[in-house]
Amino acid sequence: MSLVEPVEPVPVEELGRVHFIGIGGAGMSGIARVLLQRGVAVSGSDARDSSVLTELRAAGARVHAGHAAEQLGEADTVVVSSAVRPGNPELAAARERGLRVLPRAAALGALLLGRRGIAVAGTHGKTTTTSMLATVLRHCGAEPGYVIGGKLVGGPGAPASGLAAAADAGSGELIVVEADESDGSFLMLRPEIAVVTNVEADHLDNYSGIEQIHEGFDRFTALTGELVVAGVDDPGAQLVAKAAAEHGRQVRGYGENPGADYRIGAIAPAGFGSRFTLAGPAGEHPYTVHAPGRHNVANAAAAIAVALELGFAPGAAAAGLAAYRGTARRFEPKGEARGVRVYDSYAHHPTELAADLRAARAALDSEPPRGEGAAPGRVIALFQPHLYSRTRIFAAEFGQALGLADEVVVMSIYAAREDPEPGVGSELVTSAVPHGRVHLQPERERIPAQIAALARPGDIVLTMGAGDVTELGPRIVDALGS
């Protein structure tokens, strides 16, 4: 792959009928949903049918499983995800017909035009921070639109025990979206406010190195209308914040750093979450976040900082944050059986693995003893490496991060958009784990029983990766209960 060439967003009212190739993806389906709510005729296709396609059909979209040129219908604009290959029959037909073809981010950029856009960028924490901010703003009465890369747990419009949509048009002037740096597509957004959580090396199948990544973030903040809110505990985000200030943007930093404009303090466990204080221009106030780990305190601080900068009261922001109940695939509970809790995580970068494993350990350490003589709870990690290139580049770092777990099971690599690389396999990861309690398991069907055999009451099992490992959580719960 490579970085996409930025194009200028087109106002929604000029898009006409819109056809999405790859409409089932998290980002694509969210944009489609918002366009439907705004009265745009939407059609689309995806490789296979899914619950997402069923939801879009119910919302009024004409959606197909499989790709065929005739499915374009009377489309005026075609939106493609970065995963769509050039030979896709619908894409080829769209180009032959001379239709407007837009990358996903340009369609997302269209949603920001005419509204006060807030774009959340960063190597880690984008989905969680966007989810927290959308929840906080909803509880502050702003009625924002939002487009998130994952469904909110118990968010606006969710059933009592289900997930809310990953996107909503909203009726207010604000709209909150994720800004994806993976292929440079965030350069097609023109937000009023940008959030930069952190900046590290990743997506090195697209970028030449960290210098080019920093250059991309610098260009992104230069496109921001007014304000940049940056996580100043992270060296990469610090550099981006400095460059943004040089571009003439107003910058507000958040973090535990003593010089932060919004300074985090007094972090303490609170169930499977944390209490903390945030000191800023409006004074120091207490907050509670129902998501584990210090990294989620930072994500929460980013959301609160934006809300306060927009003029909302600290008390209303605190109530909104306390109402946040998580996001799909971000330490999402999948069930409990035999005293073992199973969670699912989208973590697919070494930093993300380490953060979630530390959060699981801290949650266990904060719990009272289960009984006299009971063994301490352990952390069991099931990891599915994502992409051959990422595995090759970060194998050693993945191994070190997984060393934070007590037991580790590693699956075969999830190829996603890549072809296999000679000599690159999950063995690169298992050989880098610094303790011997690691198991390579290429046979997917054996994993639920294997995890059930490893686990004992009080343990936490964490399924980790950006691929289809997410499907195994419920099966592990079933295996534990059998």
Side-chain angles (χ1 to χ4, degrees):
M1 293 182 65
S2 59
L3 298 177
V4 297
E5 187 65 32
V7 300
E8 287 296 317
V10 177
V12 168
E13 55 270 18
E14 296 179 17
L15 293 175
R17 296 174 177 268
V18 182
H19 183 84
F20 289 80
I21 307 176
I23 197 168
M28 294 280 275
S29 61
I31 298 168
R33 181 181 294 275
V34 173
L35 288 178
L36 284 166
Q37 292 174 337
R38 293 185 60 172
V40 175
V42 170
S43 62
S45 63
D46 208 66
R48 60 187 62 85
D49 215 341
S50 66
S51 60
V52 174
L53 268 59
T54 299
E55 292 171 4
L56 288 170
R57 290 188 188 103
R62 181 174 56 86
V63 183
H64 306 271
H67 301 292
E70 60 269 20
Q71 291 171 181
L72 286 177
E74 299 178 358
D76 302 294
T77 299
V78 174
V79 180
V80 296
S81 77
S82 57
V84 173
R85 303 211 174 201
N88 180 284
E90 294 173 18
L91 178 57
R95 297 199 186 281
E96 288 174 9
R97 287 168 52 179
L99 302 181
R100 178 194 289 119
V101 177
L102 296 177
R104 179 193 60 81
L108 181 62
L111 303 182
L112 270 64
L113 296 178
R115 299 182 76 172
R116 300 182 66 191
I118 305 166
V120 180
T123 310
H124 321 294
K126 292 185 291 294
T127 298
T128 301
T129 302
T130 307
S131 301
M132 290 177 175
L133 180 54
T135 304
V136 167
L137 293 177
R138 283 280 173 119
H139 280 264
C140 287
E143 293 301 319
Y146 62 86
V147 181
I148 304 169
K151 291 186 176 182
L152 286 165
V153 176
S161 59
L163 300 172
D168 189 85
S171 60
E173 63 177 353
L174 297 170
I175 182 167
V176 188
V177 302
E178 282 190 52
D180 181 14
E181 87 288 353
S182 66
D183 58 1
S185 59
F186 63 167
L187 299 181
M188 287 178 262
L189 306 179
R190 304 291 183 271
E192 178 179 311
I193 299 173
V195 178
V196 179
T197 58
N198 41 63
V199 181
E200 281 194 81
D202 196 9
H203 308 294
L204 297 179
D205 51 335
N206 290 330
Y207 290 94
S208 61
I210 190 64
E211 293 82 6
Q212 190 181 21
I213 293 171
H214 277 290
E215 178 186 340
F217 275 91
D218 291 346
R219 291 174 63 192
F220 168 67
T221 58
L223 295 169
T224 301
E226 292 185 10
L227 174 66
V228 175
V229 177
V232 293
D233 291 341
D234 177 73
Q238 280 187 17
L239 291 174
V240 171
K242 180 180 178 182
E246 292 171 353
H247 290 313
R249 301 298 180 266
Q250 185 181 31
V251 175
R252 292 285 185 268
Y254 67 90
E256 297 179 61
N257 189 311
D261 301 288
Y262 290 90
R263 184 165 50 82
I264 299 168
I267 300 174
F272 215 63
S274 300
R275 293 187 300 272
F276 66 99
T277 60
L278 197 65
E284 185 172 16
H285 300 274
Y287 299 90
T288 299
V289 58
H290 297 291
R294 217 172 187 92
H295 60 300
N296 277 318
V297 171
N299 293 334
I304 295 297
V306 172
L308 299 185
E309 286 292 317
L310 287 168
F312 295 105
L321 181 62
Y324 173 75
R325 284 299 181 271
T327 308
R329 300 229 55 208
R330 273 67 183 178
F331 227 109
E332 179 187 359
K334 306 306 288 187
E336 180 176 346
R338 214 173 71 207
V340 178
R341 290 164 289 179
V342 180
Y343 296 86
D344 183 45
S345 167
Y346 192 68
H348 56 281
H349 182 282
T351 298
E352 296 163 356
L353 265 67
D356 277 352
L357 292 171
R358 288 191 182 101
R361 174 71 60 205
L364 287 173
D365 290 345
S366 68
E367 294 176 345
R370 296 188 305 280
E372 187 175 351
R378 301 170 305 157
V379 178
I380 300 175
L382 170 63
F383 175 54
Q384 182 184 48
H386 183 261
L387 300 179
Y388 288 93
S389 60
R390 185 181 280 122
T391 303
R392 167 174 42 81
I393 293 166
F394 293 119
E397 290 83 356
F398 279 131
Q400 289 298 312
L402 289 168
L404 296 169
D406 296 289
E407 297 278 355
V408 179
V409 177
V410 180
M411 301 171 62
S412 297
I413 295 171
Y414 187 82
R417 58 184 179 266
E418 293 186 341
D419 296 322
E421 290 188 23
V424 178
S426 296
E427 298 85 352
L428 295 178
V429 175
T430 57
S431 64
V433 177
H435 59 65
R437 299 178 301 279
V438 57
H439 316 268
L440 177 63
Q441 182 51 271
E443 297 184 49
R444 180 186 185 86
E445 293 305 310
R446 295 190 176 188
I447 288 172
Q450 181 176 8
I451 297 291
L454 284 171
R456 65 193 187 204
D459 289 350
I460 286 177
V461 174
L462 195 52
T463 62
M464 313 179 82
D468 57 9
V469 64
T470 184
E471 299 169 0
L472 293 177
R475 294 179 58 190
I476 292 169
V477 176
D478 289 343
L480 285 163
S482 63

